[in-house]
Amino acid sequence: MKRAVSDSIYYVGASDRRLALFENTFPLPNGVSYNSYLIDSDRTALTDTVDRSVADVFFDNLAEALGSKPLDYLVVHHVEPDHAATVADLLLRYPDVKIVTSAKALVLLNRFNDADYTARTIVVKEGDTLDLGKHTLRFVAAPMVHWPEVFVSYETATKTLFSADAFGTFGALGGNLFADEIDFDRDIKDEMRRYFINIVGKYGVQVQNLLKKAASLEIAAICPLHGPIWRKDLGKVIALHDTWSAYRPEDQSVVIACASIYGNTARAADYLADRLAERGIKGIRIYDVSKTHVSYVVAEAFRASHVVFAAPTYNNGIFIEMEHLLHDLVAHNFRNRRFALIENGSWAPQSGKLMQSMLSALPGVTQIGETVTVCSALNADARRALDCLAEAVASEF
Ligand code: FEO
């Protein structure tokens, strides 16, 4: 079914609750939505298509929303296949539609489809407009949010921002299209953070650039390519994206990322957490990196002001899943945090030194206290060292 966003804009996207891994890597416990919108003006414009998995529903929705009208334009904001995989099919079904996209997007669209759409494409750049009659789309470049070809568009009559991947989230839509109809703190915020940090987090500077451009627009609604539409409390979602993209901690809190083979490093992590709690620190969270998917731990590390990494030495290096986490943090431009280290090694502890060299190279990422060494299992020396570390961390709260 088409869904009305306003008098003249219809939601024609759909949700996938069966896909296990987004981009074949990120777990989707609550599914994901692929959003597409039809602007029903004197001339009709569709913004983006959807992933192949929901193509049937999308084409039904689109046909219903168009009724007897022709489809005049397809605006392709982003060529990643979760939004553009059904472009070729759409062009077959609507042979007269004109594509409206950026020069870089046209190159990618041609590559992905092994085709040449040049003759049926209107190439647009920053500041260009598309006159639909009662509505006008103004195009705003948004390179690297999240691919280089990306742009967003602003519809001037309804003051609607079609924001591409920006302001998106994991999670299927379930009837309620608008964020103000959903419990944001309970049902959206964590997954929106995980989506942002893991998908776009590397490109904080580019997101900051887009936020600056958006600040010059009077925005009544934000229509992203994933997740609910924003028509209220826009300041809340924009402020969160500002925090995340500026690499500022969201909470003054401690996250402990722990790797443990036989449970001894985990006991050290628990001992430290207990000592921190006794010193009044609230909201401490411990994650076992072998159990919790790395995308959750990365998002949590970005949320917190202080992160403790606890890992055994393994093959004379860092235990596998912890090394994976650290590589992912480096890849996502992790910065501006305080960290503490616990290492374990029965005959030649190495993990502390190796974790320290990866983290200390990151801008604004600095260590608190001394690395605590656990030799096989917690003993009195290690407890004393953990007491000192707890004192050092707590002194910053
Ligand atoms: Fe939702 Fe970058 O695609």
Side-chain angles (χ1 to χ4, degrees), residues 22-23 78 80 82-83 146-147 165 195 199 225-226:
F22 185 76
E23 294 185 356
H78 183 19
E80 192 165 8
D82 54 333
H83 310 293
H146 128 240
W147 279 15
D165 273 341
Y195 168 87
I199 304 296
L225 285 176
H226 301 286

